[in-house]
Amino acid sequence: MAPGGGICKDVIESRITFAEYDMATSSAELRGSPLRKAATSLGGNLGATSTNDVHELLECPVCLNLMYPPIYQCPNGHTVCSICKARVHNSCPTCRNELGNIRCLALEKVAESLELPCRYQILGCHDIFPYYSKLKHEKNCRYRPYHCPYAGAECSVTGDIPFLVVHLKNDHKVDMHDGCTFNHRYVKSNPHEVENATWMLTVFNCFGRQFCLHFEAFHIGMAPVYMAFLRFMGDEDEARQFSYSLEVGCYGRKVTWQGVPRSIRDSHRKVRDSQDGLIIQRNLALFFSGGDRQELKLKVAGRIWKEQ
């Protein structure tokens, strides 16, 4: 035996004994703690835990969404997200103790080590993201559901494009047309009574894609106007592949507009308020309507084409 070998062996055995003691102590302390799963996932004798268990641990018990810093905990270790902390009036939703402002720094740290799939994986997104990058990605994920583009009421339905096309046809009874050119007439018996109005949405099937034609009456400042614009049922990068023109006219005069359709990712109100479309003052719209100018009978012609 080499000199000092016995001493070295004793030191090693001593360290093993203390390590086992520390692990036993940690196990006892974690047994009743909500951080137990997180601790076990980092290794040790408590057993292997899957990422799904940690994912479950990071779910807020109130809204069931994943929690992001700041994550709060009560004195008993129960956690809640910062948004729901205000909703529950600073009372722990699990044990009803006062929450206070105790941060669960350990859980926030555990989250940094995770990589999770996008929540829209089932819709086609197969990318994996670090926990704190996941939320930012999901806000702009190309596979996230679209909101219903119907403008007559705030419809809460979401889904992919084929689903929304069926929804618009069956539930909103919108006009569906095939072709890339159109000539629509918008009628109102007493246009002076119109403060804010929205006409029925029209959907065009063109180049194998769908486009929504909107026509609305509102005010820009004190001036009553009508506005027509087109939205594309798809993402913004796809919308840029197309252009469209709108035209109104009568008596040898006409007003035209040419632009790029906006994606339905932008709400109809956002597009309208940005004035990104054909805008006609009410007096001019009545002039183009002909007759005694007491009734709106405005024809809007348009064309959609694909950029090369």
Side-chain angles (χ1 to χ4, degrees):
M1 179 180 293
I7 297 174
C8 181
K9 181 180 179 183
D10 290 341
V11 171
I12 293 173
E13 288 178 348
S14 176
R15 285 178 180 170
I16 293 173
T17 302
F18 278 115
E20 290 173 347
Y21 172 80
D22 290 340
M23 185 60 69
T25 304
S26 298
S27 178
E29 291 174 348
L30 286 168
R31 195 168 290 122
S33 168
L35 290 179
R36 181 174 185 270
K37 291 180 182 178
T40 58
S41 69
L42 299 179
N45 294 334
L46 295 180
T49 305
S50 68
T51 301
N52 288 336
D53 291 328
V54 184
H55 185 280
E56 181 181 334
L57 185 66
L58 286 162
E59 286 184 353
C60 173
V62 179
C63 64
L64 302 182
N65 293 324
L66 290 177
M67 296 185 289
Y68 294 86
I71 300 174
Y72 291 98
Q73 65 177 5
C74 76
N76 291 327
H78 304 124
T79 55
V80 69
C81 74
S82 58
I83 296 175
C84 291
K85 179 176 181 287
R87 292 177 181 171
V88 298
H89 306 292
N90 207 39
S91 175
C92 175
T94 304
C95 67
R96 305 306 176 190
N97 279 336
E98 183 177 353
L99 281 169
N101 291 304
I102 306 173
R103 290 275 294 274
C104 189
L105 300 178
L107 190 55
E108 292 178 10
K109 192 69 176 177
V110 167
E112 290 181 3
S113 66
L114 295 181
E115 289 189 342
L116 299 174
C118 174
R119 68 184 297 181
Y120 305 120
Q121 184 181 50
I122 193 173
L123 299 178
C125 183
H126 301 297
D127 293 332
I128 304 295
F129 299 91
Y131 185 79
Y132 289 134
S133 301
K134 179 174 176 288
L135 190 63
K136 182 178 180 180
H137 160 78
E138 289 173 349
K139 289 181 178 178
N140 298 290
C141 179
R142 60 172 300 190
Y143 294 98
R144 71 190 189 279
Y146 295 89
H147 291 279
C148 172
Y150 189 74
E154 294 299 328
C155 180
S156 61
V157 171
T158 62
D160 60 15
I161 299 302
F163 172 81
L164 289 180
V165 170
V166 174
H167 165 68
L168 288 169
K169 182 178 180 180
N170 295 340
D171 298 330
H172 292 300
K173 312 298 181 184
V174 304
D175 294 328
M176 297 277 187
H177 296 275
D178 293 325
C180 299
T181 59
F182 51 89
N183 197 330
H184 265 47
R185 174 172 292 202
Y186 296 96
V187 178
K188 187 67 178 178
S189 59
N190 190 350
H192 294 280
E193 293 181 353
V194 176
E195 294 296 326
N196 291 281
T198 300
W199 275 256
M200 175 62 75
L201 181 70
T202 304
V203 176
F204 297 97
N205 295 305
C206 177
F207 297 107
R209 306 307 298 267
Q210 290 74 39
F211 300 81
C212 301
L213 177 62
H214 297 263
F215 188 74
E216 301 191 20
F218 62 104
H219 284 78
I220 297 179
M222 298 297 293
V225 300
Y226 296 96
M227 180 176 176
F229 57 92
L230 206 67
R231 286 199 295 162
F232 173 74
M233 295 188 70
D235 279 333
E236 184 178 356
D237 57 343
E238 297 176 291
R240 293 196 192 100
Q241 301 174 19
F242 301 92
S243 294
Y244 75 102
S245 63
L246 298 174
E247 178 181 307
V248 295
C250 191
Y251 305 123
R253 298 169 177 84
K254 65 181 179 181
V255 176
T256 61
W257 161 269
Q258 181 175 319
V260 176
R262 296 281 287 270
S263 165
I264 61 170
R265 295 287 189 200
D266 293 332
S267 68
H268 81 281
R269 183 178 294 275
K270 180 178 180 179
V271 179
R272 187 198 73 179
D273 291 347
S274 68
Q275 301 178 29
D276 190 4
L278 175 64
I279 298 176
I280 316 152
Q281 291 190 352
R282 184 165 65 190
N283 288 339
L284 185 58
L286 292 177
F287 171 77
F288 285 147
S289 296
D292 58 5
R293 305 186 188 182
Q294 298 301 309
E295 186 177 15
L296 180 72
K297 293 181 179 179
L298 189 67
K299 289 198 299 183
V300 178
R303 181 172 71 93
I304 305 168
W305 66 93
K306 191 170 186 177
E307 297 290 350
Q308 299 299 322

